[in-house]
Amino acid sequence: MQAIVFDIKRYAVHDGPGIRTSVFFKGCPLRCVWCHNPESYKAGIEPICRSNRLGDIEVADESQIGKVYSLDQLIFEIENDQLFFDESGGGVTFSGGEPLMQIDFLEGILKACKEREIHTALDTTAYAKRDKLDRIIDYVDLFLFDLKHMVDEDHRKHTGVSNQLILDNLVYLSEKGKRIIIRFPMIPGYNDSKSNINLMLDFLNQLPSKPEFHILPYHRTGQDKFRRFGIETTMPDIPSLLEEDTVWVQNVFKAEGYTVKVGG
C-alpha cells in the first residue's frame, strides 16, 4: 500500500489542536482559482524545472513534486513527533490536495494512527461519495471542513465542481456527531458578499450542532506558486486580506453563538 505525498510539515499549529504533523496528499478534484497548493492538483509525481539566479548566472534546478510513501514509512515519520503530540495535545493532520482521493491508503494510515492513540484530523473538501466517508469516519477525531461558496452556480464557476455533494456530506457528518471545524477561505470578490455569508449562516444554523467557524483570509502566496510551477491561473493579482477585513464576518457568526477564529 502506497501513497503520493507532496509535503510533510512538522510543528504545525494551524491545522488542528496542539502541535501537529501535517501530511499533504497529491491529487484534488477541485480547481479553485484561489488555490494555495496548485502543485497538489495532479495525482501523480510530476517533474519540475525551476530557474534560480545566482548573481548573474541562472541555474536550472530539476526536481519533482511528490514522493511515494509506504504505510510503514509514513507512520514512522509521524511517530517521530509523538513526544510533541503528547505534550501539546496535538496529532497528525491529513491534507492536500484531497486525501479522500487516495482512500485505501488514507484508511490504512488512519487506522494505524488510532492503534497508536494519535489524534487525527482530516482537512477535506468533502467532495467524495458517501462510501469513502464511511470507510474513515470512525478513525477521524476532527474534520477540518472546507466551505467555499453556498451558491451552486458560483461554486461550479470558481472551483470546477458542484457544492451539493459537499453540503450533503457536511449534514451527514454533523448528524453522525463528528467534531467539525468549518474553514471558510474568504476571497475578496468571490465569496465575501453579504448574501453568501448569510446563506452560509442559515445553512450552518440547521445542523444538529454548531461547528466552530474559522475564517482563512485570502493570501496571495498561492498565486506565486502558480507562476513558479507554470500552472495557468485566472485569479486576478489582488492583495492579501488583512484580519481587520474579516471583522464584520466574525461579528455575524459570533452574534449567532459560534466560536470564531481567524486563521487555521
Side-chain angles (χ1 to χ4, degrees):
M1 189 180 295
Q2 296 180 324
I4 299 178
V5 171
F6 72 90
D7 198 8
I8 298 177
K9 290 185 178 178
R10 303 186 186 279
Y11 320 120
V13 294
H14 299 295
D15 295 326
I19 297 173
R20 310 191 70 79
T21 297
S22 295
V23 180
F24 294 83
F25 285 73
K26 281 273 281 172
C28 186
L30 276 63
R31 292 294 182 268
C32 305
V33 297
W34 54 79
C35 182
H36 64 282
N37 284 330
E39 70 272 35
S40 71
Y41 280 172
K42 296 181 181 179
I45 294 175
E46 301 174 80
I48 184 172
C49 183
R50 301 172 179 166
S51 294
N52 299 305
R53 183 167 292 279
L54 300 174
D56 296 330
I57 303 175
E58 192 168 284
V59 179
D61 175 26
E62 294 186 2
S63 58
Q64 65 182 29
I65 304 172
K67 179 180 177 180
V68 175
Y69 282 87
S70 69
L71 196 150
D72 288 341
Q73 287 173 325
L74 190 55
I75 199 66
F76 176 79
E77 293 284 343
I78 294 168
E79 282 188 301
N80 281 338
D81 297 330
Q82 181 82 53
L83 177 63
F84 300 102
F85 303 158
D86 293 343
E87 291 184 347
S88 69
V92 60
T93 298
F94 297 105
S95 186
E98 174 49 66
L100 289 167
M101 287 188 68
Q102 300 189 54
I103 184 61
D104 292 335
F105 188 93
L106 180 64
E107 181 182 22
I109 196 72
L110 283 168
K111 286 181 177 179
C113 289
K114 297 312 293 179
E115 289 170 358
R116 292 160 175 80
E117 298 184 347
I118 297 173
H119 183 277
T120 57
L122 181 65
D123 182 10
T124 180
T125 67
Y127 187 76
K129 291 182 178 180
R130 184 70 50 80
D131 64 316
K132 288 188 176 183
L133 287 181
D134 285 335
R135 287 177 62 176
I136 54 90
I137 192 170
D138 291 334
Y139 311 112
V140 177
D141 296 307
L142 170 64
F143 285 87
L144 303 175
F145 197 105
D146 299 338
L147 196 57
K148 305 173 190 298
H149 209 298
M150 299 306 297
V151 179
D152 188 61
E153 180 181 355
D154 289 327
H155 197 280
R156 290 175 183 270
K157 180 179 179 182
H158 302 317
T159 74
V161 302
S162 168
N163 67 5
Q164 192 58 58
L165 180 59
I166 294 167
L167 297 179
D168 288 346
N169 283 335
L170 176 55
V171 173
Y172 180 70
L173 291 174
S174 183
E175 289 176 344
K176 289 291 185 178
K178 300 304 296 184
R179 187 186 172 205
I180 301 168
I181 294 177
I182 299 297
R183 300 180 106 186
F184 169 57
M186 186 171 170
I187 317 298
Y190 285 81
N191 63 359
D192 62 339
S193 67
K194 289 184 179 180
S195 61
N196 186 56
I197 297 303
N198 288 332
L199 287 172
M200 190 173 295
L201 181 63
D202 290 343
F203 187 89
L204 296 178
N205 280 342
Q206 297 177 45
L207 297 178
S209 61
K210 281 185 168 66
E212 288 186 40
F213 188 79
H214 291 187
I215 303 170
L216 308 182
Y218 170 73
H219 199 287
R220 57 165 292 113
T221 53
Q223 296 311 299
D224 296 334
K225 280 189 176 183
F226 275 99
R227 285 188 285 271
R228 192 187 325 151
F229 296 127
I231 303 172
E232 185 178 353
T233 178
T234 59
M235 186 72 184
D237 190 14
I238 58 178
S240 301
L241 274 185
L242 301 176
E243 183 170 345
E244 50 260 40
D245 298 322
T246 72
V247 170
W248 71 271
V249 180
Q250 295 181 55
N251 291 338
V252 168
F253 279 86
K254 286 179 179 178
E256 290 287 326
Y258 287 83
T259 298
V260 180
K261 180 180 176 182
V262 178

